[in-house]
Amino acid sequence: MSTTLRAPRRPRSLVALLGPAFVAAIAYVDPGNVASNISAGAEFGYLLVWVIVMANVMAGLVQFLSAKLGLVTGLSLPEAVREKSNRPVRLAYWAQAETVAMATDLAEVVGGAIALKLLFDLPLVLGGLITGAVSMVLLLVQDRRGQRPFERVITGMLAVIAVGFLASVVISPPEAGDTLGGLVPRFDGAESVLLAAAMIGATVMPHAVYLHSGLARDRHGNPEPGPLRVRLLQATKIDVGLAMVLAGTVNLSMLLMAAHTLRGRENVDTLEGAHAAVRDALGPVAALLLAIGLLASGLASTSVGAYAGAMIMEGLIRRRIPLLLRRLVTLVPAIVILAAGIDPTRALIISQVVLSFGIPFALIPLVLLTSDRGLMGADVNHRLTSALAWLVAVIISALNVVLIYLTVTG
């Protein structure tokens, strides 16, 4: 992965500018989202629809700020943090960021393994190894062919994910009234708060915040202030908006499918059980598409997660390790989880909770940096934008405090 800046070229069309946000959006439809959203719908019905909508809106703001930072400054978020901190702080910051990246990878590999078991009845450990191997091939596409081919592959897989999870809602549409009722913010006990935190942790993901700044910088370069930068920032807003609408629709479809089809059924607290229930209720085609969507989610998201981990390391401590070695190191925890016989669906949900703890460490520097006029110049955040971004950080941090309390006392 190279961070060498190239001179920006005047793009021929708006479509040619789209792509980075769709790669980052893979983080929002990963297997952790699947587990959290299906669990929330199966257990609480339409209660947490509002969490999906709120998380997606927050993610859109955060991802645009990240992309803007990279495009305006020519720095990824990890590089910008490095510029503003001393060595001990950088090392501590890198350690937590890499821990979050490994938790991310655990979710993606476990999800891919579950999908391969559903599709081909493969043992979970073998499925995890295959997921890791395929993700390595996808990473080699980026390493050897560059960012644009990688974007095309990942965007194609995002389309497969969308079809896989939207199919069940199209086959059996949920009640419109119940869906609208779920937009009213409320909880129903400690478990609903736990799932809400997991859903937010699976949506506003730290590694996607770090990654998007580098993706935007590598795609668009670091244009000087002027018409080209204005056009690129406008295109970035559209890129983020389209990607977030797609990701949000997929996430919402997961929850609505579970609320409409799985609630009240027994043995749907695992992805395997949910898959079986969908097959019984909606037929084998819907179940097959669900499993294919889950597989595409695991394969694409683990590749993007490993890419983000490399960007974090290079940006913060200026160290690079061979791609294969990094893939093997981050694969080990997931394989251990699978080999130990731990319930993989529960492991997915808990991994999303772990991710939520890393969110403030990504959001706070991002808001501070993009609100710094000396760094951002005329593209500094508007006061309202900064206020909204700080509100997002406070809401997520508050949920984390509640989550810690529930975990300790539960």
Side-chain angles (χ1 to χ4, degrees), residues 105-293:
D105 210 37
L106 185 151
E108 333 304 34
V109 173
V110 169
I114 294 173
L116 287 169
K117 181 179 180 181
L118 295 176
L119 287 168
F120 306 110
D121 199 27
L122 295 180
L124 287 174
V125 173
L126 178 58
L129 291 172
I130 291 174
T131 301
V134 174
S135 70
M136 181 67 194
V137 173
L138 295 178
L139 286 169
L140 286 174
V141 170
Q142 190 280 328
D143 194 54
R144 303 286 176 83
R145 302 292 298 276
Q147 185 173 330
R148 291 296 295 275
F150 182 69
E151 285 179 7
R152 294 189 186 102
V153 171
I154 296 299
T155 302
M157 298 187 80
L158 181 58
V160 173
I161 296 166
V163 171
F165 290 110
L166 287 170
S168 295
V169 176
V170 172
I171 292 171
S172 181
E175 297 293 333
D178 292 335
T179 302
L180 292 174
L183 293 173
V184 179
R186 62 196 189 280
F187 293 107
D188 183 16
E191 184 66 18
S192 67
V193 178
L194 177 68
L195 281 172
M199 291 161 69
I200 291 175
T203 303
V204 188
M205 298 188 74
H207 78 282
V209 179
Y210 297 124
L211 178 65
H212 202 166
S213 56
L215 290 172
R217 183 271 316 275
D218 292 345
R219 167 66 92 85
H220 301 310
N222 176 215
E224 294 295 325
L228 178 56
R229 179 187 285 185
V230 170
R231 186 183 182 198
L232 290 173
L233 286 171
Q234 290 173 341
T236 298
K237 288 181 182 179
I238 296 172
D239 191 27
V240 171
L242 292 175
M244 291 299 102
V245 167
L246 178 58
T249 301
V250 173
N251 276 319
L252 185 59
S253 71
M254 296 176 195
L255 187 143
L256 294 180
M257 178 276 292
H260 182 62
T261 304
L262 305 183
R263 195 173 191 200
R265 292 176 176 266
E266 297 181 353
N267 302 318
V268 293
D269 55 344
T270 65
L271 288 177
E272 295 94 328
H275 176 265
V278 168
R279 183 181 60 234
D280 294 341
L282 303 180
V285 173
L288 175 63
L289 291 173
L290 180 69
I292 291 173

Side-chain angles (χ1 to χ4, degrees), residues 59 122 310 332 364:
L122 295 180
V332 168
I364 291 173

